[in-house]
Amino acid sequence: MCVRRFNPRDVEQLTTLFHLSVTQGASSHYSVEERAVWSASPRSHQNWLTRLQPTTTWVAEEGSVITGFINLKPAQLKLQSDNKEWLCADIDCLFSHPEFTGRGVATALYKGLEEFAVAEQIRELTVEASFLAKPFFEKQGYEVLSKNQHPRAGQVLVNFSMHKILTMV
């Protein structure tokens, strides 16, 4: 498996991967109705290009098949209670192709993202994790800050706000 930076020519596979990850991969945690409002059909390539443009995005691939992707929004200064500032960045997406679940795709992608964050002096990472992703992020050292409910088209999608303080070297 190779982890590399996203290239716009990857968008077609990424679009399909996201839709399959939601509709098939999340089936053990979300109902058919919930998954249908989360991703009723693959989003347009332009939608994904627009969403990913301001982020740093990595893809995992085996041969010519993209098996997962992760992206990080630009870091922002965050003021702590002791009036110290540090950089904080949000993980926007982490999705693996359902056919590659359990093969270390998410771990490889996350490792690259965290190494990048440390090199960029980002001190805190946050994520809105699905039921499916929550155990993965807990394994990476994240803490749950809150459980969230997002009403959408007659369904309520649940996720978890999580964060991790990174150790600077």
Side-chain angles (χ1 to χ4, degrees):
M1 174 184 2
C2 167
V3 173
R4 62 170 175 78
R5 290 287 180 93
F6 169 79
N7 185 300
R9 71 176 175 267
D10 300 326
V11 73
E12 183 175 349
Q13 286 191 65
L14 186 140
T15 298
T16 301
L17 184 152
F18 172 82
H19 183 67
L20 291 175
S21 182
V22 170
T23 59
Q24 295 175 14
S27 64
S28 60
H29 294 81
Y30 295 90
S31 70
V32 170
E33 296 80 13
E34 290 168 330
R35 288 178 281 136
V37 298
W38 189 356
S39 183
S41 62
R43 296 177 186 161
S44 74
H45 295 176
Q46 189 55 53
N47 175 281
W48 277 108
L49 291 171
T50 300
R51 181 174 181 169
L52 298 176
Q53 190 277 326
T55 72
T56 304
T57 306
W58 296 264
V59 297
E61 68 181 347
E62 284 193 24
S64 60
V65 176
I66 294 180
T67 59
F69 73 98
I70 192 170
N71 68 325
L72 187 67
K73 292 180 177 179
Q76 305 287 324
L77 278 177
K78 183 175 179 180
L79 183 63
Q80 300 305 299
S81 57
D82 60 2
N83 287 328
K84 290 184 181 177
E85 290 182 332
W86 67 32
L87 289 174
C88 178
D90 300 323
I91 298 171
D92 182 38
C93 294
L94 172 57
F95 290 94
S96 298
H97 193 291
E99 292 179 15
F100 292 87
T101 300
R103 296 193 197 175
V105 172
T107 301
L109 287 164
Y110 178 78
K111 181 182 175 195
L113 180 144
E114 189 171 297
E115 288 172 358
F116 172 84
V118 169
E120 294 293 312
Q121 299 296 306
I122 296 169
R123 181 91 161 100
E124 181 180 11
L125 292 173
T126 62
V127 66
E128 299 287 316
S130 67
F131 273 112
L132 185 62
K134 180 179 173 275
F136 172 81
F137 282 105
E138 287 174 327
K139 188 175 177 182
Q140 307 309 314
Y142 282 71
E143 297 177 29
V144 174
L145 300 172
S146 66
K147 182 178 180 179
N148 310 308
Q149 296 185 354
H150 302 280
R152 195 184 295 174
Q155 298 296 313
V156 177
L157 299 177
V158 174
N159 71 10
F160 301 86
S161 295
M162 303 178 76
H163 83 134
K164 178 180 180 179
I165 305 301
L166 301 177
T167 304
M168 297 291 121
V169 287

